Amino acid sequence: MNIIKTSSRGALVVLSGPSGSGKDTVIERLKEYNDNFWISVSATSRQPRPGEEDGISYYFKTEDEFKKMIDNDELLEYNYYNGNYYGTPKGKIEKFLKEGTNVILVIDVNGALSIKKKLPEAVFIFLIPPSMKDLIIRLKKRGTESSDKILSRFKEAYKEINEVNKYNYVVINDEIDTAARKVNAIIEAEKCSVERIEELYLNNPEEEMHELLIDDKEFVNDDIKI
Ligand code: 5GP
């Protein structure tokens, strides 16, 4: 029997970072290091970008449909960002956590702060670009938005980065593989958190160590190899 029993629940990981910080790319790479996670698919009222698929990238909704989801209390959190709604469906999150699967929410700072109020046990990771110059280059390279939208995402990034202290961890995304390995290390560390201890068996009379401690002599003379 182990000395401690720890919670088998999956870790709830909230990953934020300004638009263009590379959250999706890092998560994609994370799959090489960790296959025990499920990424929540958000709902949004924004238009799909080329290559984005409904139900995979997002659940694409009209603004009315999104508002209905709010009214029906179907969302764990939501935010209005850059002219569109984004929200996390409650859906399967609890089911996966119970089964021991880690759940990752890729959401903005406002959403993360709402989650922090509701589920403070979640682990909050902020992905940051190496520099603001780097960020604008990445936003432009994406080439899917007007320069107005790019500018407003860039301005939003300044506000978001100012909230970094509200997170538990910050990862600089200067190299995708390194960033993915750091995110994985944080998840692994989270699994070792003492907050997860449910029972300590040291005082259990059946625990072998306890018996050894009661009888010092036996402990010393025992043929335990060190
Ligand atoms: P994008 O339009 O670039 O896909 O996303 C814009 C921002 O919305 C990103 O910072 C992204 O992380 C955030 N976002 C995506 N899904 C959600 C969500 O469910 N809730 C919140 N609050 N933000 C989200």
Side-chain angles (χ1 to χ4, degrees):
M1 187 204 267
N2 284 332
I3 285 175
I4 55 168
K5 179 173 178 282
T6 52
S7 167
S8 59
R9 266 174 84 81
L12 178 61
V13 180
V14 176
L15 180 73
S16 303
S19 187
S21 58
K23 292 168 296 216
D24 293 333
T25 326
V26 168
I27 292 288
E28 195 51 42
R29 184 63 63 94
L30 182 64
K31 290 178 187 163
E32 287 181 21
Y33 298 104
N34 193 328
D35 57 6
N36 182 35
F37 68 85
W38 176 75
I39 306 162
S40 163
V41 179
S42 297
T44 183
S45 63
R46 114 159 135 61
Q47 290 296 311
R49 294 189 188 121
E52 284 186 332
E53 281 180 54
D54 189 36
I56 294 175
S57 318
Y58 281 104
Y59 294 109
F60 292 102
K61 305 280 176 194
T62 63
E63 203 163 305
D64 278 351
E65 285 169 339
F66 197 101
K67 284 179 179 162
K68 259 188 206 139
M69 290 181 85
I70 300 173
D71 292 344
N72 295 337
D73 196 26
E74 290 173 45
L75 301 170
L76 190 59
E77 61 74 37
Y78 68 92
N79 189 33
Y80 190 73
Y81 166 90
N82 214 14
N84 293 298
Y85 284 100
Y86 295 82
T88 308
K90 288 182 181 169
K92 304 173 197 141
I93 295 177
E94 184 51 31
K95 172 188 160 290
F96 280 113
L97 290 176
K98 250 191 194 157
E99 282 173 9
T101 305
N102 303 313
V103 170
I104 304 190
L105 309 181
V106 185
I107 61 179
D108 74 354
V109 172
N110 283 294
L113 297 181
S114 313
I115 298 284
K116 202 170 183 181
K117 279 189 202 136
K118 288 184 187 168
L119 304 163
E121 72 277 15
V123 54
F124 296 85
I125 307 176
F126 197 94
L127 191 70
I128 210 163
S131 70
M132 293 313 276
K133 190 176 168 199
D134 207 85
L135 186 72
I136 195 85
I137 292 169
R138 289 187 199 181
L139 284 171
K140 280 184 179 170
K141 257 194 194 161
R142 202 148 68 180
T144 51
E145 261 137 339
S146 65
S147 44
D148 275 3
K149 287 267 179 193
I150 290 175
L151 189 64
S152 79
R153 278 177 185 261
F154 190 61
K155 282 183 184 164
E156 199 62 36
Y158 267 95
K159 284 192 224 153
E160 291 190 314
I161 292 171
N162 268 311
E163 306 279 6
V164 66
N165 288 334
K166 294 178 179 148
Y167 285 70
N168 304 115
Y169 298 94
V170 60
V171 172
I172 299 176
N173 185 16
D174 44 8
E175 206 275 315
I176 294 160
D177 198 62
T178 312
R181 279 193 284 123
K182 285 181 182 172
V183 170
N184 188 43
I186 294 166
I187 299 173
E188 292 299 325
E190 173 58 19
K191 287 298 189 69
C192 300
S193 165
V194 290
E195 302 288 331
R196 289 186 154 257
I197 297 177
E198 288 178 338
E199 275 181 81
L200 252 177
Y201 295 120
L202 273 182
N203 295 324
N204 183 338
E206 285 164 24
E207 171 56 47
E208 192 185 347
M209 182 61 94
H210 185 75
E211 282 172 19
L212 292 174
L213 288 173
I214 288 172
D215 189 345
D216 283 0
K217 251 193 212 157
E218 198 179 313
F219 184 53
V220 174
N221 295 335
D222 210 354
D223 59 355
I224 297 173
K225 301 271 182 299
I226 299 174

